[in-house]
Amino acid sequence: GNSVTQMEGPVTLSEEAFLTINCTYTATGYPSLFWYVQYPGEGLQLLLKATKADDKGSNKGFEATYRKETTSFHLEKGSVQVSDSAVYFCALSDRGNTGKLIFGQGTTLQVKP
Amino acid sequence: EAGVTQSPTHLIKTRGQQATLRCSPISGHTSVYWYQQALGLGLQFLLWYDEGEERNRGNFPPRFSGRQFPNYSSELNVNALELEDSALYLCASSFLGQGVTEAFFGQGTRLTVV
């Protein structure tokens, strides 16, 4: 079945460091791919998405490129801030309207001043 | 504009009891989705309601059930609670036809079964 694998955390970085959180997926067909963020005590927020191969999603300085050849959707940010500390989830949705998102396990990011 | 609201924020129940969790979608949204975020298991799809009907169901036993009311709010009921039901339950809502990929999530209900 479809699945998403994320790098295990926690990831601890100093402010202004470069961030990469790896995400790979297994899916039939061509799913849409997403990154969600969960700040402490809050629900999930959609960070960015890509709906087809080679698309680049971007938001708030974060970027991720849909790589069909490597089945990957790695999240990157050039310079993290303390306020980026959160749990990040990679997810995919099947084609068709099923109401179902398949999430990775989540990666905790802690940014220190 | 109010977001997706869930109640209660925290719920403590004893094994074998029933739990009822509530979700109010964003105004105008007709679809409601339920997800379970259990420690070690990640986020898993539970249920999808749209226009009062159950549209899809995840791989959960029948003691997980729910309904959607005419005002599009929703309840999730968990019967015969087991310890492993302890989790954060997230609700999301979207406009009709937009799908879960355009959904907004609430802050969740933390269910603890003791």
Side-chain angles (χ1 to χ4, degrees):
Chain A
N2 295 348
S3 65
V4 176
T5 302
Q6 286 180 241
M7 62 185 288
E8 288 193 23
V11 173
T12 303
L13 296 173
S14 297
E15 208 164 21
E16 299 183 2
F18 184 86
L19 168 71
T20 300
I21 300 178
N22 290 336
C23 171
T24 57
Y25 67 90
T26 302
T28 55
Y30 302 98
S32 294
L33 301 173
F34 308 85
W35 278 101
Y36 284 84
V37 59
Q38 187 175 34
Y39 297 103
E42 298 186 16
L44 287 177
Q45 298 178 29
L46 177 64
L47 183 59
L48 54 84
K49 67 179 182 181
T51 58
K52 62 182 187 297
D54 300 324
D55 267 2
K56 178 185 283 188
S58 61
N59 185 26
K60 299 181 181 178
F62 291 89
E63 293 184 339
T65 302
Y66 189 144
R67 301 286 189 199
K68 187 165 73 75
E69 63 276 13
T70 55
T71 61
S72 65
F73 193 55
H74 304 322
L75 182 68
E76 297 181 335
K77 187 175 185 182
S79 176
V80 294
Q81 305 300 312
V82 172
S83 57
D84 293 327
S85 298
V87 181
Y88 292 82
F89 293 90
C90 186
L92 66 81
S93 71
D94 291 335
R95 290 295 182 190
N97 194 10
T98 67
K100 183 177 179 181
L101 288 167
I102 297 170
F103 288 89
Q105 293 290 82
T107 302
T108 299
L109 170 65
Q110 184 177 26
V111 181
K112 296 187 174 180
Chain B
E1 179 181 321
V4 177
T5 56
Q6 293 187 243
S7 64
T9 306
H10 294 86
L11 188 59
I12 300 175
K13 291 286 186 179
T14 303
R15 191 171 50 183
Q17 285 188 315
Q18 178 194 45
T20 298
L21 288 64
R22 296 178 176 83
C23 173
S24 293
I26 291 171
S27 178
H29 285 189
T30 62
S31 284
V32 170
Y33 313 85
W34 287 96
Y35 281 78
Q36 182 197 64
Q37 187 177 12
L39 199 62
L41 294 177
L43 279 149
Q44 297 185 73
F45 168 72
L46 257 169
L47 289 160
W48 170 30
Y49 291 97
D50 184 68
E51 296 283 335
E53 300 286 332
E54 184 181 297
R55 301 297 184 184
N56 198 9
R57 182 183 179 85
N59 188 25
F60 281 83
R63 57 192 187 81
F64 286 82
S65 65
R67 53 180 173 168
Q68 187 178 33
F69 298 98
N71 66 353
Y72 304 114
S73 66
S74 177
E75 273 184 1
L76 173 68
N77 295 296
V78 188
N79 295 319
L81 284 164
E82 300 179 1
L83 296 178
E84 52 265 35
D85 296 333
S86 295
L88 180 68
Y89 290 84
L90 292 171
C91 172
S93 72
S94 72
F95 284 111
L96 175 67
Q98 279 192 332
V100 69
T101 60
E102 303 295 334
F104 292 85
F105 283 81
Q107 294 190 2
T109 293
R110 173 75 61 186
L111 173 64
T112 302
V113 183
V114 298

